[in-house]
Amino acid sequence: MPEPAPAPRARTTPPADATPGTTPDITPDGSTDGTSAPDRRSSTVLWIACAAQFMVVLDVSIVNVALPQVRDSLGLSPAGLQWIVNAYTLGFAGLLLLGGRLADLIGAKRAFTSGLAAFTTASLVCGLAGNGPLLIAARATQGVGGAMLAPATLTLIMTTFTEPRARTRAMGAWSAVMAAGGAAGAVLGGVLTQYAGWRWVFFVNVPIGMVLVVAAVRSVPVGQRPRAGRRLDLPGALTVTLGLTLLTYGIVATETHPWGAPQVWAPVAAALALLTAFAVIEARTAQPLVPLTILRRPVLVLANATVFALGAAMFAMWFLLSLYFQQVLLWDPLRAGLAFVPGALAIIAGARIATRLIGRTGARPLMVLGTAVSTAGFGWLSQITADGSYTTDVLPPFVLCTLGLGLATMPLTVAATAGSRPEEAGLASGLVNTSRQVGGALGLAALASVASHTAASHGGPAAQAATAGYGRALLAAAAFTTVAALLALALPGPRAARG
């Protein structure tokens, strides 16, 4: 039997006007308005949520190192190979907002287990796929399952850990796991591809997913029942999902088509029309998918915009460095994967530092510091050369990029979800995850296009041309993190928040 939960405090959730500059339940010296250790069930919920989030984020990057083997095994064209990555991104980014709202409407536990079951089943189909179309379709289904699962993990944490210090630590662990998933995916993908074959980058999810489903059914509490009369805003869900999907599709198309091509501007124009329709629907419906009043919170809007800009830079970094290691330095998948280990460690270190300091500094200084450190790292990393040394030319700036990501991620999540009522937890989670994933998808497509066009116009040897493209794209990533730093700086400080 689990130990009895501690008696609730008088105030267990941040007030509606909470801001990241104050982190209202945490005093300047790091103490809180009460202390209570989470019981064993809470610790189990945290473990389950973090493991599931790690698996979802892992699948964004684990496939990159395996792509050459997939191409040779299934006889895919370059365009088909590209869609193995993009099908997952489209399904994931396009449905995250809907997935977050589902957690509020049907309950976090049901959304979590349903998304996890869909993700695990799709992973099995990916590993068994004998042709490109089936693999691409299964990858899209993986993305749909991940879109239900990812917001539910954060919702479970927000509704399980109500005491301020416990919630801060839990969100720190979630943020570290989420941020390290990208780097760990490259490492694990390299090991599995080298020694077990590309199919195991998908099969590895199956036993993990099965264990997590059983653990969630047994250990995750049902939580509050959804209020009677609540229903899903289907018109809003359809317009925002199709709009985000078409926007991502249009940007992805720039890798193979110029910006003026119909394959690019037609889906982008349709996406803008659908997103405009979504705003009109949300303003008029009685039970909107995204109440527009939530967008009147400056902290939430600025924090999500910062998450978007930071995600645009970071997703591209994993992809570009993976190509640089294998196509320019001619490393095998295992060596390329191991090169990302220091980045994963730096992310975890940054997240731990942020978790310890946020009670004394508030969220804003850590966000500004983290994004500034990442900007310096990207500026340095953009100077890579075709005959560069990993130890001197790549490792130091790479560690700066990832350390900054670790410092900024947890405070950004705190800021983006501050002031959310329990019935809005899934929506707030969906918004921050949507900002991160859509930013990553659009940033990856845009920066890959920069790299491709720069390399094509270089005119030198292939390795030098490719490196010039990667360098230009990484410099553009520094511009994204600069924007993130400026947005973080614009967030209200402690004095303004109190006013």
Side-chain angles (χ1 to χ4, degrees), residues 13-47:
T13 57
D17 60 350
T19 71
T22 56
T23 314
D25 290 307
I26 306 176
T27 62
D29 64 354
S31 63
T32 65
D33 63 355
T35 57
S36 60
D39 59 21
R40 284 183 298 224
R41 173 168 288 184
S42 298
S43 299
T44 302
V45 170
L46 176 61
W47 174 84

Short mmCIF file of all heavy atoms in Angstrom, two decimals, residues 13-47:
data_model
loop_
_atom_site.label_atom_id
_atom_site.label_comp_id
_atom_site.label_asym_id
_atom_site.label_seq_id
_atom_site.Cartn_x
_atom_site.Cartn_y
_atom_site.Cartn_z
N THR A 13 -1.47 25.40 -6.32
CA THR A 13 -1.11 25.71 -7.70
C THR A 13 -0.82 27.18 -7.81
O THR A 13 -1.32 28.00 -7.06
CB THR A 13 -2.26 25.35 -8.67
OG1 THR A 13 -3.42 26.08 -8.26
CG2 THR A 13 -2.54 23.88 -8.65
N PRO A 14 0.04 27.60 -8.76
CA PRO A 14 0.37 28.99 -8.89
C PRO A 14 -0.87 29.79 -9.24
O PRO A 14 -1.79 29.31 -9.89
CB PRO A 14 1.36 29.00 -10.06
CG PRO A 14 1.87 27.60 -10.14
CD PRO A 14 0.75 26.74 -9.69
N PRO A 15 -0.92 31.05 -8.79
CA PRO A 15 -2.06 31.89 -9.15
C PRO A 15 -2.08 32.19 -10.62
O PRO A 15 -1.10 32.03 -11.31
CB PRO A 15 -1.83 33.17 -8.32
CG PRO A 15 -0.35 33.19 -8.07
CD PRO A 15 0.06 31.76 -7.97
N ALA A 16 -3.24 32.67 -11.10
CA ALA A 16 -3.42 32.88 -12.52
C ALA A 16 -2.47 33.90 -13.09
O ALA A 16 -2.14 33.87 -14.26
CB ALA A 16 -4.86 33.30 -12.81
N ASP A 17 -1.98 34.84 -12.24
CA ASP A 17 -1.08 35.86 -12.76
C ASP A 17 0.37 35.54 -12.45
O ASP A 17 1.22 36.42 -12.46
CB ASP A 17 -1.45 37.22 -12.17
CG ASP A 17 -1.35 37.24 -10.64
OD1 ASP A 17 -1.18 36.15 -10.06
OD2 ASP A 17 -1.45 38.32 -10.06
N ALA A 18 0.67 34.28 -12.17
CA ALA A 18 2.05 33.90 -11.88
C ALA A 18 2.94 34.20 -13.05
O ALA A 18 2.54 34.06 -14.19
CB ALA A 18 2.13 32.41 -11.52
N THR A 19 4.16 34.57 -12.79
CA THR A 19 5.11 34.87 -13.85
C THR A 19 6.40 34.17 -13.59
O THR A 19 6.75 33.84 -12.46
CB THR A 19 5.40 36.39 -13.94
OG1 THR A 19 6.17 36.76 -12.81
CG2 THR A 19 4.13 37.21 -13.99
N PRO A 20 7.18 33.92 -14.66
CA PRO A 20 8.42 33.21 -14.49
C PRO A 20 9.45 34.00 -13.73
O PRO A 20 10.43 33.47 -13.25
CB PRO A 20 8.87 32.93 -15.93
CG PRO A 20 8.24 34.01 -16.72
CD PRO A 20 6.94 34.30 -16.06
N GLY A 21 9.30 35.29 -13.65
CA GLY A 21 10.29 36.07 -12.93
C GLY A 21 10.20 35.87 -11.43
O GLY A 21 11.16 36.11 -10.72
N THR A 22 9.03 35.45 -10.93
CA THR A 22 8.87 35.32 -9.50
C THR A 22 8.84 33.89 -9.03
O THR A 22 9.21 33.61 -7.91
CB THR A 22 7.57 36.00 -9.05
OG1 THR A 22 6.50 35.44 -9.79
CG2 THR A 22 7.61 37.49 -9.29
N THR A 23 8.36 32.95 -9.87
CA THR A 23 8.10 31.59 -9.46
C THR A 23 7.42 31.64 -8.09
O THR A 23 8.02 31.36 -7.07
CB THR A 23 9.40 30.77 -9.39
OG1 THR A 23 10.15 31.03 -10.55
CG2 THR A 23 9.10 29.30 -9.28
N PRO A 24 6.15 32.09 -8.01
CA PRO A 24 5.53 32.62 -6.81
C PRO A 24 5.60 31.76 -5.57
O PRO A 24 5.69 32.29 -4.49
CB PRO A 24 4.07 32.85 -7.22
CG PRO A 24 3.89 32.09 -8.47
CD PRO A 24 5.22 32.00 -9.12
N ASP A 25 5.59 30.45 -5.68
CA ASP A 25 5.60 29.62 -4.49
C ASP A 25 7.01 29.32 -3.99
O ASP A 25 7.19 28.58 -3.05
CB ASP A 25 4.85 28.31 -4.77
CG ASP A 25 3.36 28.54 -4.93
OD1 ASP A 25 2.75 29.15 -4.05
OD2 ASP A 25 2.84 28.11 -5.97
N ILE A 26 8.02 29.89 -4.66
CA ILE A 26 9.41 29.64 -4.27
C ILE A 26 10.00 30.97 -3.82
O ILE A 26 10.01 31.94 -4.56
CB ILE A 26 10.22 29.07 -5.43
CG1 ILE A 26 9.51 27.83 -5.98
CG2 ILE A 26 11.62 28.71 -4.99
CD1 ILE A 26 10.19 27.26 -7.18
N THR A 27 10.50 31.03 -2.61
CA THR A 27 11.01 32.28 -2.08
C THR A 27 12.39 32.55 -2.64
O THR A 27 13.06 31.65 -3.15
CB THR A 27 11.07 32.21 -0.55
OG1 THR A 27 11.97 31.17 -0.19
CG2 THR A 27 9.71 31.93 0.05
N PRO A 28 12.89 33.81 -2.51
CA PRO A 28 14.19 34.14 -3.08
C PRO A 28 15.34 33.32 -2.54
O PRO A 28 16.35 33.14 -3.22
CB PRO A 28 14.34 35.63 -2.72
CG PRO A 28 12.94 36.14 -2.59
CD PRO A 28 12.18 35.00 -2.02
N ASP A 29 15.22 32.80 -1.32
CA ASP A 29 16.33 32.02 -0.79
C ASP A 29 16.21 30.54 -1.12
O ASP A 29 16.98 29.72 -0.63
CB ASP A 29 16.43 32.20 0.73
CG ASP A 29 15.21 31.67 1.45
OD1 ASP A 29 14.23 31.26 0.78
OD2 ASP A 29 15.23 31.67 2.69
N GLY A 30 15.23 30.18 -1.95
CA GLY A 30 15.10 28.79 -2.38
C GLY A 30 14.10 28.00 -1.58
O GLY A 30 13.78 26.88 -1.93
N SER A 31 13.60 28.54 -0.48
CA SER A 31 12.60 27.82 0.30
C SER A 31 11.25 27.98 -0.33
O SER A 31 11.04 28.80 -1.20
CB SER A 31 12.59 28.34 1.74
OG SER A 31 12.20 29.69 1.74
N THR A 32 10.29 27.20 0.12
CA THR A 32 8.94 27.28 -0.41
C THR A 32 7.97 27.49 0.73
O THR A 32 8.35 27.56 1.90
CB THR A 32 8.57 25.99 -1.15
OG1 THR A 32 8.53 24.92 -0.20
CG2 THR A 32 9.58 25.65 -2.22
N ASP A 33 6.70 27.59 0.38
CA ASP A 33 5.69 27.81 1.42
C ASP A 33 5.28 26.51 2.10
O ASP A 33 4.32 26.45 2.82
CB ASP A 33 4.46 28.51 0.82
CG ASP A 33 3.77 27.65 -0.23
OD1 ASP A 33 4.31 26.57 -0.56
OD2 ASP A 33 2.71 28.06 -0.71
N GLY A 34 6.01 25.45 1.89
CA GLY A 34 5.73 24.19 2.55
C GLY A 34 6.59 23.12 1.97
O GLY A 34 7.06 23.23 0.86
N THR A 35 6.84 22.05 2.68
CA THR A 35 7.66 20.97 2.17
C THR A 35 6.95 19.66 2.43
O THR A 35 6.35 19.43 3.48
CB THR A 35 9.04 20.93 2.88
OG1 THR A 35 8.82 20.82 4.28
CG2 THR A 35 9.82 22.20 2.58
N SER A 36 7.01 18.80 1.44
CA SER A 36 6.45 17.46 1.60
C SER A 36 7.08 16.58 0.56
O SER A 36 7.20 16.94 -0.60
CB SER A 36 4.93 17.47 1.42
OG SER A 36 4.60 17.93 0.14
N ALA A 37 7.53 15.41 0.95
CA ALA A 37 8.15 14.48 0.01
C ALA A 37 7.06 13.72 -0.71
O ALA A 37 6.09 13.27 -0.13
CB ALA A 37 9.05 13.51 0.78
N PRO A 38 7.20 13.57 -2.02
CA PRO A 38 6.20 12.80 -2.74
C PRO A 38 6.20 11.35 -2.29
O PRO A 38 7.23 10.80 -1.96
CB PRO A 38 6.65 12.93 -4.20
CG PRO A 38 8.10 13.27 -4.13
CD PRO A 38 8.28 14.05 -2.88
N ASP A 39 5.03 10.76 -2.27
CA ASP A 39 4.96 9.38 -1.85
C ASP A 39 5.45 8.47 -2.97
O ASP A 39 5.84 8.92 -4.05
CB ASP A 39 3.53 9.01 -1.41
CG ASP A 39 2.51 9.22 -2.51
OD1 ASP A 39 2.91 9.26 -3.69
OD2 ASP A 39 1.32 9.35 -2.21
N ARG A 40 5.45 7.18 -2.69
CA ARG A 40 6.00 6.24 -3.65
C ARG A 40 5.23 6.24 -4.95
O ARG A 40 5.80 6.10 -6.02
CB ARG A 40 6.00 4.83 -3.04
CG ARG A 40 7.10 4.62 -2.02
CD ARG A 40 7.10 3.20 -1.51
NE ARG A 40 5.86 2.89 -0.82
CZ ARG A 40 5.80 2.23 0.34
NH1 ARG A 40 6.90 1.83 0.93
NH2 ARG A 40 4.65 1.96 0.89
N ARG A 41 3.91 6.43 -4.89
CA ARG A 41 3.13 6.45 -6.12
C ARG A 41 3.50 7.66 -6.97
O ARG A 41 3.61 7.56 -8.18
CB ARG A 41 1.63 6.46 -5.81
CG ARG A 41 0.77 6.64 -7.05
CD ARG A 41 -0.69 6.35 -6.80
NE ARG A 41 -0.93 4.92 -6.61
CZ ARG A 41 -2.13 4.39 -6.44
NH1 ARG A 41 -3.20 5.16 -6.43
NH2 ARG A 41 -2.28 3.09 -6.27
N SER A 42 3.71 8.80 -6.34
CA SER A 42 4.12 9.99 -7.09
C SER A 42 5.46 9.77 -7.77
O SER A 42 5.65 10.16 -8.92
CB SER A 42 4.19 11.20 -6.15
OG SER A 42 2.93 11.50 -5.59
N SER A 43 6.39 9.14 -7.07
CA SER A 43 7.69 8.85 -7.66
C SER A 43 7.54 7.90 -8.85
O SER A 43 8.23 8.05 -9.87
CB SER A 43 8.62 8.23 -6.62
OG SER A 43 8.84 9.12 -5.55
N THR A 44 6.64 6.93 -8.74
CA THR A 44 6.40 6.01 -9.85
C THR A 44 5.80 6.73 -11.04
O THR A 44 6.18 6.50 -12.19
CB THR A 44 5.46 4.87 -9.40
OG1 THR A 44 6.06 4.19 -8.29
CG2 THR A 44 5.24 3.88 -10.52
N VAL A 45 4.84 7.64 -10.79
CA VAL A 45 4.25 8.43 -11.87
C VAL A 45 5.32 9.25 -12.57
O VAL A 45 5.36 9.33 -13.81
CB VAL A 45 3.14 9.34 -11.33
CG1 VAL A 45 2.68 10.33 -12.40
CG2 VAL A 45 1.95 8.51 -10.85
N LEU A 46 6.23 9.86 -11.80
CA LEU A 46 7.32 10.64 -12.40
C LEU A 46 8.20 9.76 -13.28
O LEU A 46 8.57 10.14 -14.40
CB LEU A 46 8.14 11.31 -11.30
CG LEU A 46 9.37 12.09 -11.77
CD1 LEU A 46 8.95 13.24 -12.68
CD2 LEU A 46 10.15 12.62 -10.57
N TRP A 47 8.54 8.59 -12.78
CA TRP A 47 9.38 7.67 -13.56
C TRP A 47 8.69 7.27 -14.86
O TRP A 47 9.31 7.27 -15.93
CB TRP A 47 9.68 6.42 -12.73
CG TRP A 47 10.42 5.37 -13.47
CD1 TRP A 47 11.76 5.28 -13.68
CD2 TRP A 47 9.85 4.23 -14.16
NE1 TRP A 47 12.07 4.18 -14.43
CE2 TRP A 47 10.92 3.52 -14.74
CE3 TRP A 47 8.54 3.76 -14.32
CZ2 TRP A 47 10.72 2.35 -15.48
CZ3 TRP A 47 8.34 2.60 -15.05
CH2 TRP A 47 9.41 1.91 -15.62
#
